[in-house]
Amino acid sequence: MSQNKDVALSVSLAILKGQWSTLEVLLAEDFTYTGDGMTFDKRQYIDFMKGMKSAFSNMAMEFTHVVSEGDLVSIRFVTTCTHTGKFMGAPATNKSLAISGIFMRRVEGERVMQEWQTTDLLGTMTQMGVGTLLGYAIFGVLLKSKSA
């Protein structure tokens, strides 16, 4: 099970370091992502992460809880960053953010097959200064159109 934890965490570390070729190897060819109203295949996921990485600088992640059972690894995270670039249509705010959430990754061998994620989007938008209800509605529409 320790190997599964290492593989699951390696995906996040590759994203943080911008190691896209490593990420490519860590994700299975038929990898799928489901989370926060979006679904991605492997290519879409990598492209989304590249966009996120370019929009948020000084990105760091703390893994506060890591639980592994069988082929599933669940990780609670807190990401700190600064919103310095355009992301999903939202202009840079230059605000420091602490984004929390949980993801679960299914690992087979040395590859991640699936990821499910939920992020505190309302808390993130509040930190960005977006009007709470209006921002939530707009962000939800953007997420659905981005994943389509």
Side-chain angles (χ1 to χ4, degrees), residues 17-143:
K17 295 175 183 176
Q19 295 174 336
W20 308 116
S21 58
T22 300
L23 183 60
E24 184 85 34
V25 170
L26 289 167
L27 301 177
E29 285 308 311
D30 55 350
F31 168 85
T32 59
Y33 168 92
T34 305
D36 299 328
M38 299 179 287
T39 57
F40 296 139
D41 63 18
K42 179 178 179 174
R43 178 59 34 219
Q44 292 166 326
Y45 178 83
I46 292 172
D47 289 345
F48 183 81
M49 291 302 159
K50 285 179 178 179
M52 187 180 68
K53 182 83 169 115
S54 69
F56 299 98
S57 60
N58 306 317
M59 190 179 290
M61 287 183 91
E62 177 185 1
F63 306 111
T64 61
H65 299 85
V66 181
V67 178
S68 180
E69 183 175 320
D71 62 352
L72 297 175
V73 180
S74 181
I75 302 168
R76 183 181 182 282
F77 65 91
V78 178
T79 301
T80 55
C81 57
T82 306
H83 182 209
T84 54
K86 187 175 180 180
F87 184 67
M88 296 185 71
T93 62
N94 294 312
K95 293 188 177 189
S96 294
L97 307 174
I99 304 164
S100 62
I102 296 173
F103 54 80
M104 184 178 296
R105 293 182 175 140
R106 186 169 65 83
V107 178
E108 283 186 17
E110 296 185 11
R111 303 274 190 279
V112 174
M113 304 299 293
Q114 290 177 282
E115 178 176 332
W116 302 270
Q117 181 171 332
T118 184
T119 307
D120 179 10
L121 297 177
L122 189 57
T124 301
M125 290 182 299
T126 300
Q127 292 175 69
M128 291 171 66
V130 177
T132 305
L133 293 177
L134 176 62
Y136 190 78
I138 292 170
F139 203 71
V141 169
L142 288 174
L143 285 176

Side-chain angles (χ1 to χ4, degrees), residues 6-24:
D6 292 344
V7 170
L9 289 169
S10 292
V11 169
S12 297
L13 297 174
I15 293 166
L16 285 173
K17 295 175 183 176
Q19 295 174 336
W20 308 116
S21 58
T22 300
L23 183 60
E24 184 85 34

